[in-house]
Amino acid sequence: MTATRTVLTARALLLDMDGTLVDSDAVVERCWRRWAARQGLDEEHVLAVAHGRQGYATMAELLPDRPMELNHADNRVLLAEETADTDGVVPVPGAPAFLASLTGVPHAVVTSADDGLMRSRMGAAGLALPELLITAEQVSASKPDPEGFLKGAAALGVDPADAVVFEDSGAGIAAGLAAGMRVVGVGPRAAAYGPTAHVADLRAVRVETGDDGVVRLHLGG
């Protein structure tokens, strides 16, 4: 579905970070290409899998026979590399104004990044952090498992059906839908994964809040 003239209503918004609020593709590609080369894997195939998941989950999918403790060890190294590298990290177009429009709207960041990486990238992009942050440390399973989004909705005190997710990756969109939520796909990757609605970037989103506590998301352009 395209976003033209689409209006969704919600009582809370759950926002992915990478690819949704922050364009970190340059860093992700640099770090994962190095990892792929060390493992002798095709770099393009690795990048096709990597977006949206925690690193250990990506590694487990790519190397299914590899002991999980090695994936977790590699993930710690990768997280340190990614956290230190902010070259090219910028906000997704429209992200600053979109976040500013959420004043008074219940919302959270729900990311596969850990807390350090999340703060590094949001800071590099110049984006303010919401009060509620669901990071890798707070879940037992990576996207596409819906745990993170369900925790976010519960913490905000809304039913999953009353939450709208903003996501860019296949894993993230699958997680949001599995949580029983509607999903706005953001950016060029998202359209292929069946989100409820799709926008090219956050400039195409207008947030309207009513006295009844209902948020109306005008999606188009």
Side-chain angles (χ1 to χ4, degrees), residues 29-135:
E29 291 199 7
R30 280 195 296 272
C31 292
W32 278 101
R33 284 185 188 279
R34 288 196 297 266
W35 182 85
R38 292 195 294 267
Q39 305 303 320
L41 297 174
D42 179 76
E43 295 178 10
E44 299 306 321
H45 177 61
V46 169
L47 291 175
V49 175
H51 291 288
R53 293 177 169 86
Q54 292 187 42
Y56 76 86
T58 295
M59 295 168 190
E61 178 158 334
L62 292 164
L63 299 169
D65 297 326
R66 191 185 199 219
M68 189 57 78
E69 58 265 26
L70 293 182
N71 295 332
H72 283 289
D74 262 12
N75 189 42
R76 287 190 291 272
V77 172
L78 196 67
L79 280 171
E81 291 178 0
E82 290 188 281
T83 301
D85 185 354
T86 57
D87 187 24
V89 174
V90 295
V92 165
F98 172 68
L99 287 173
S101 75
L102 299 185
T103 300
V105 175
H107 66 286
V109 165
V110 181
T111 176
S112 293
D114 68 0
D115 187 78
L117 179 57
M118 180 272 301
R119 292 179 186 277
S120 173
R121 287 186 175 163
M122 291 288 282
L127 298 177
L129 296 174
E131 291 184 13
L132 182 61
L133 306 166
I134 306 294
T135 58

Side-chain angles (χ1 to χ4, degrees), residues 97-201:
F98 172 68
L99 287 173
S101 75
L102 299 185
T103 300
V105 175
H107 66 286
V109 165
V110 181
T111 176
S112 293
D114 68 0
D115 187 78
L117 179 57
M118 180 272 301
R119 292 179 186 277
S120 173
R121 287 186 175 163
M122 291 288 282
L127 298 177
L129 296 174
E131 291 184 13
L132 182 61
L133 306 166
I134 306 294
T135 58
E137 294 93 336
Q138 298 172 54
V139 297
S140 61
S142 172
K143 300 171 186 177
D145 191 282
E147 180 185 1
F149 289 126
L150 291 171
K151 282 195 168 186
L156 292 171
V158 300
D159 291 333
D162 289 330
V164 168
V165 167
F166 282 73
E167 264 285 3
D168 74 301
S169 70
I173 290 167
L177 295 174
M181 301 172 184
R182 289 151 298 149
V183 180
V184 177
V186 179
R189 277 191 294 267
Y193 298 106
T196 310
H198 177 256
V199 293
D201 58 47

Side-chain angles (χ1 to χ4, degrees), residues 16-25 92 167-168 186-189:
D16 175 51
M17 180 184 68
D18 289 307
T20 301
L21 297 174
V22 174
D23 181 353
S24 55
D25 280 3
V92 165
E167 264 285 3
D168 74 301
V186 179
R189 277 191 294 267

